[in-house]
Amino acid sequence: MPAQCSGLLDPALAAFITSRISVQIAACDGRGPATLVRGLGCRVSDDLGTVTVLMPRSQALPVLAAIEANGRVAVVFSEPETHRTVQLKGVDARVEAVTAGDEASLQPYAAAMAARLAPFRVPEVFARALLSASPDDLVAVSFTPSQGFGQTPGPRAGMPLVDGKP
Amino acid sequence: MSTGPGLDELRGCLEGIVPAGIATCDAEGMPNVTYVSQLMYVDPQHVALSFQFFNKTRENILANPVATVLTMDPDTAARYRLTVRYLRTETAGPLFERMRAKLAGIASHTGMEGVFKLLGADVYRVQAIEAVPGRELPRIAHGPALLPALRRSVDELNRCTGLDGLIDRFCACLEREFDIAHQMLLMADEAAGRLYIVASRGYERSGVGAEIPVGMGVIGVAAREKVPIRIMFPASEYAYGRVLREQAAQSGLVDRLDNEIPLPGLAEPASQLAVPVMAGGRLLAVAYVESRQECTFGYDLEDALVALGAALGLMMLVLRCPDAADEADIAQPAPAAAGGAGPPVRVRHFARDDSVFLDDDYLIKGVAGAILWKLLGDRQRDGRCEFSTRALRLDPALHLPEVVDNLDARLILLQRRLQDRCDWLRIEKTGRGRFRLAVDRETILVAEGAPRPG
């Protein structure tokens, strides 16, 4: 991979979306309504050009089918304790097998999210039930982010990202 | 609708405790996904989403009204995808106010006070519900079984033969059958646009006689919109102490407020529910319950209290039509009780609002104040101390509203306020529609100001 920024992601934004925060992935195949699934983590390629989100295959079937149909994807990342929220979109999304590293990231992801949700009095057992998956049920979706939007609640929600910042 | 779970079974997912997500699609077929601050149950076919900002989701649903919502059960973590079709946006009225109050709680819970402001309640028809597989926790029952509690409470109310007993039974049922520790019952004075407390439980002071304007806070909004208002988290903009004081400060009434009966209530309730008590489409009262615990009152408890409130409202109407034979006027005045120990008390009546002060202490105003003034006047004039509600009802000096005769409730208010405030002046029930004024001190009646015209 060439060590060159693709433009949309900068190191700070890449660090934010991979900091084990809340993720939801949406897709739309053009025939039915848009659909969505909760994600279980994210990684970014070294050149910051490719974003990969993880999700349980069993929960994501309609989302995966839509991505396979047209490659269009929207992913929202939100940090629960600050509500800082960013949405990335791409048109070249593809479904991929996960790596051993992805499987190993599941437990730390659930633990980190449980800690983030604890101040909201969300029991850890609840967070772990919501954010756990069997490693053999895990699937990845990778895409090149072509559009980004700040979605932190407030009047600026929905504005395009400027220099990776909402 | 699919053959899977219906919306009624998913109401826990529609409390806004765990943020939901919504996926929409623009006119070019590009997806969009965002978090939803509030997803609320409307009825078995509809949900409402909070509309707070103009954004891509809004643009998309206006162009392409079918969307998918992903929501989680806050107890079991069960996930559901709802296929929804946007129908309309409501910017005022019962649904809007229910949502606005609930959103205030969610905003404060999530640290977004001042950011979340409801512009509209977006109503969607639910076309399909898909249960999404995944790990779930066993469901744990909270609180008492509501249907048996409701049935026992309705049975209790049906056995009541008087309004005062009905009010006390209702409060006792909330306490005993529904484990509700803090509550008030307020009667509606529709003509005056106010509600006044006739009973409360779980507070240091009863606050009987304290008033809340229609439209203010959880109770006032429930009264104005005739719809239950329920908040799952602390919401300071709906807390009474602060709201009343701010409103009074704005209108320069702070001094006057200090003369009024202070409202009881928790300083910082974490859960609140106000249920209008209706009969024949008319508002009779509001039952208000609160708790220091978050998420105490759910949709099911709201349903139970609405049903119990309906029974209470009908019983109020039934007991308001007394049997004429029970109300036969007292032919012979009984001798007044002699003045007891202590110096004479000046009972001061201000005609402008029928307020009554015992020496310098505010007691009561309005119809209840006029009743007390009349009773004391009759007693002074002809030594009478036995009275009937029928005779009172016919007295033009009381300014009773012609349509809504809530005299019985006023008498109960007066009786309870006297119990709270003084040990020498009492109203004692002597039979159905009959009561005695017991005065153990000498009184000097002082009419302050001119009587009200008409």
Side-chain angles (χ1 to χ4, degrees), chain B residues 144-161:
Chain B
L146 293 173
L147 214 45
L150 175 62
R151 188 248 169 91
R152 283 192 293 273
S153 302
V154 169
D155 283 348
E156 283 242 2
L157 297 193
N158 277 330
R159 284 196 289 272
C160 292
T161 56

Side-chain angles (χ1 to χ4, degrees), chain B residues 57 59 110 156 178 262 337 394:
Chain B
T57 295
E59 189 186 312
T110 52
E156 283 242 2
F178 294 94
L394 298 173

Side-chain angles (χ1 to χ4, degrees), chain A:
Chain A
M1 290 271 189
Q4 188 186 339
C5 282
S6 73
L8 196 77
L9 285 196
D10 64 9
L13 185 55
F16 175 69
I17 65 174
T18 56
S19 62
R20 294 172 181 149
I21 56 179
S22 183
V23 187
Q24 299 205 39
I25 301 106
C28 183
D29 68 3
R31 293 190 299 274
T35 184
L36 73 167
V37 66
R38 188 174 270 279
L40 297 175
C42 171
R43 63 180 151 83
V44 174
S45 63
D46 290 343
D47 68 348
L48 308 183
T50 303
V51 170
T52 300
V53 284
L54 308 174
M55 65 206 80
R57 178 184 293 276
S58 59
Q59 296 179 20
L61 296 176
V63 175
L64 298 175
I67 286 170
E68 280 171 343
N70 62 20
R72 294 175 173 190
V73 72
V75 184
V76 66
F77 301 89
S78 184
E79 187 175 50
E81 61 272 41
T82 62
H83 304 282
R84 185 183 167 199
T85 304
V86 167
Q87 181 178 207
L88 300 178
K89 295 189 183 185
V91 295
D92 64 349
R94 61 261 169 208
V95 180
E96 292 176 347
V98 295
T99 65
D102 292 336
E103 292 179 2
S105 74
L106 273 178
Q107 284 300 328
Y109 177 79
M113 276 294 288
R116 290 182 186 280
L117 295 173
F120 298 100
R121 292 175 285 285
V122 175
E124 184 177 348
V125 62
F126 177 89
R128 285 185 179 272
L130 185 64
L131 301 165
S132 297
S134 152
D136 56 16
D137 191 29
L138 202 60
V139 66
V141 167
S142 293
F143 66 102
T144 308
S146 52
Q147 290 177 288
F149 306 90
Q151 277 185 201
T152 305
R156 290 185 54 78
M159 304 285 274
L161 293 176
V162 179
D163 296 332
K165 291 181 181 58

Side-chain angles (χ1 to χ4, degrees), chain B residues 133-192:
Chain B
R135 261 183 68 194
E136 290 179 28
L137 302 174
R139 186 174 296 285
I140 298 163
H142 302 288
L146 293 173
L147 214 45
L150 175 62
R151 188 248 169 91
R152 283 192 293 273
S153 302
V154 169
D155 283 348
E156 283 242 2
L157 297 193
N158 277 330
R159 284 196 289 272
C160 292
T161 56
L163 185 59
D164 49 353
L166 179 71
I167 288 168
D168 288 339
R169 281 284 169 95
F170 176 77
C171 294
C173 285
L174 292 193
E175 214 167 38
R176 193 179 60 235
E177 302 290 350
F178 294 94
D179 279 349
I180 288 167
H182 306 283
Q183 55 163 312
M184 342 173 170
L185 183 66
L186 302 96
M187 300 300 292
D189 182 343
E190 278 192 298

Side-chain angles (χ1 to χ4, degrees), chain B residues 7-26:
Chain B
L7 264 194
D8 281 354
E9 287 88 66
L10 260 60
R11 296 199 299 181
C13 305
L14 308 174
E15 290 282 21
I17 296 174
V18 182
I22 182 168
T24 57
C25 193
D26 69 14

Side-chain angles (χ1 to χ4, degrees), chain B residues 349 354 366-367 370-371 373-374 378 381 389-402 407 451-454:
Chain B
H349 173 252
D354 281 319
V367 176
I371 291 171
W373 185 244
K374 177 194 158 45
D378 284 3
R381 196 170 54 248
T389 51
R390 184 165 149 248
L392 278 185
R393 198 167 277 132
L394 298 173
D395 192 320
L398 298 184
H399 317 296
L400 282 177
E402 280 176 28
L407 177 66
R452 199 195 288 197

Side-chain angles (χ1 to χ4, degrees), chain B residues 43-54:
Chain B
D43 63 33
Q45 281 82 41
H46 299 92
V47 293
L49 275 76
S50 55
F51 160 40
Q52 301 168 76
F53 311 104
F54 281 96

Side-chain angles (χ1 to χ4, degrees), chain B residues 92-108:
Chain B
L95 175 65
F96 179 80
E97 293 297 345
R98 277 173 60 195
M99 195 160 212
R100 182 155 78 170
K102 219 165 171 207
L103 185 64
I106 292 168
S108 85

